[in-house]
């Protein structure tokens, strides 16, 4: 199954992707995680590090190249779940083309919907375990004592607001694109993590 998660910062894409990928037996492919790993390895140019920290998108060509290479890996043969890609119309068109070349297409695009003030609370209080990548929330999903936590540079409130504007300006245009292809499913992202997981599995017909 080839699935895409679309949604604003803090909608729960990463949290849900980890659970849904185990259920579907497919890898999670997160362009945000790939870019942060490149940054940690000192392989992301300084101007792109600055763009990410400021809440702007990196160039389409870079992420399209990353995904084109990643989806060719053998672990993607049974399918994949894309989290954070595509984010613009050129990215969506490039994805369709790279799949079509191999006779493949997307099965489903899930749009996670959460009100803006809740998105800000979710992102500003998010913490990630540096070692395991596990996502926590200081209020809703507190980390265990002694966890080695990271607060993302782009999770400061003023940057989150900028990222939300970027989402509304660039990524939201994807929804009509996928609606037109008849594969968009809108998911209410408010509720417990388990409640949202149940909605997603139901939309995927995998309950
Ligand atoms: P990326 O890492 O993709 O960030 P994002 O899309 O802004 O999404 P987030 O990771 O902020 O949120 P999420 O929806 O995964 O929420 P999470 O599950 O963590 O991208 C970062 C940057 O990289 C971009 O700004 C851009 O610069 C660059 N980039 C990446 N992809 C790109 C692309 N394709 N093109 C160009 N540039 C790109 O949850 C958030 C918090 O809420 C957590 O604390 C979690 O514990 C909590 N939570 C989750 N669900 C619930 C729930 N149901 N109830 C209570 N709390 C919950």
């Amino acid at each position: 199954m080839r699935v895409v998660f679309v949604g604003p910062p803090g909608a729960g894409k990463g949290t849900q992707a980890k659970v849904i990928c185990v259920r579907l037996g497919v890898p999670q492919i997160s362009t945000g995680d790939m870019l942060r790993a490149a940054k940690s390895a000192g392989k992301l140019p300084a101007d792109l590090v600055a763009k990410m920290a400021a809440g702007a998108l990196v160039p389409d060509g870079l992420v399209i190249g990353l995904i084109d290479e990643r989806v060719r890996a053998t672990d993607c043969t049974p399918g994949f779940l894309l989290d954070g890609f595509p984010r613009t119309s050129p990215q969506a068109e490039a994805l369709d083309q790279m799949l079509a070349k191999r006779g493949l297409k997307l099965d489903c695009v899930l749009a996670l919907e959460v009100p803006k003030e809740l998105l800000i609370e979710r992102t500003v209080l998010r913490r990630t375990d540096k070692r395991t990548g596990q996502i926590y929330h200081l209020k809703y999903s507190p980390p265990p004592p002694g966890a080695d936590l990271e607060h993302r540079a782009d999770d400061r409130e003023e940057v989150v607001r900028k990222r939300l504007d970027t989402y509304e300006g660039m990524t939201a245009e994807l929804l009509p694109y996928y609606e037109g292809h008849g594969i968009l499913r809108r998911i209410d992202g408010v509720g417990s993590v388990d409640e949202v997981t149940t909605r997603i599995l139901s939309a995927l017909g995998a309950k």
Side-chain angles (χ1 to χ4, degrees), residues 6-182:
V6 179
K13 302 182 295 296
T15 301
Q16 292 297 333
K18 288 186 193 335
V19 182
I20 300 296
C21 282
V22 171
R23 276 298 291 267
L24 299 182
V26 298
Q28 173 193 4
I29 303 178
S30 158
T31 38
D33 286 350
M34 292 165 99
L35 292 166
R36 282 185 289 278
K39 179 190 158 209
S40 300
K43 290 182 181 161
L44 194 66
D47 59 323
L48 300 187
V49 172
K51 257 185 193 288
M52 284 181 72
L57 298 184
V58 305
D60 286 334
L62 172 71
V63 281
I64 289 169
L66 287 175
I67 292 297
D68 196 13
E69 188 182 337
R70 181 66 186 86
V71 298
R72 289 167 198 267
T74 51
D75 66 334
C76 291
T77 305
F80 49 73
L81 192 162
L82 292 173
D83 156 16
F85 180 96
R87 257 174 153 94
T88 63
S89 293
Q91 291 179 22
E93 285 157 14
L95 176 62
D96 283 348
Q97 284 163 18
M98 69 179 86
L99 293 177
K101 271 188 210 156
R102 291 185 291 140
L104 303 173
K105 60 185 176 57
L106 289 176
D107 294 296
C108 191
V109 175
L110 295 167
L112 290 180
E113 299 181 327
V114 175
K116 191 167 181 174
E117 287 314 307
L118 190 50
L119 293 170
I120 291 169
E121 184 191 48
R122 282 192 185 176
T123 43
V124 170
L125 295 181
R126 169 173 41 198
R127 298 293 182 272
T128 309
D129 188 304
K130 281 187 198 167
R131 206 169 40 81
T132 64
Q134 177 67 39
I135 303 167
Y136 295 105
H137 189 276
L138 296 181
K139 181 171 164 188
Y140 298 117
S141 167
D148 189 8
L149 299 175
E150 183 163 43
H151 187 199
R152 274 170 48 176
D154 59 354
D155 274 349
R156 285 177 291 117
E157 182 170 339
E158 65 277 19
V159 182
V160 171
R161 288 189 184 275
K162 171 79 188 0
R163 287 163 60 203
L164 287 168
D165 290 346
T166 304
Y167 177 82
E168 274 159 28
M170 298 186 78
T171 311
E173 71 186 24
L174 292 182
L175 303 185
Y177 177 87
Y178 286 124
E179 203 145 38
H181 285 65

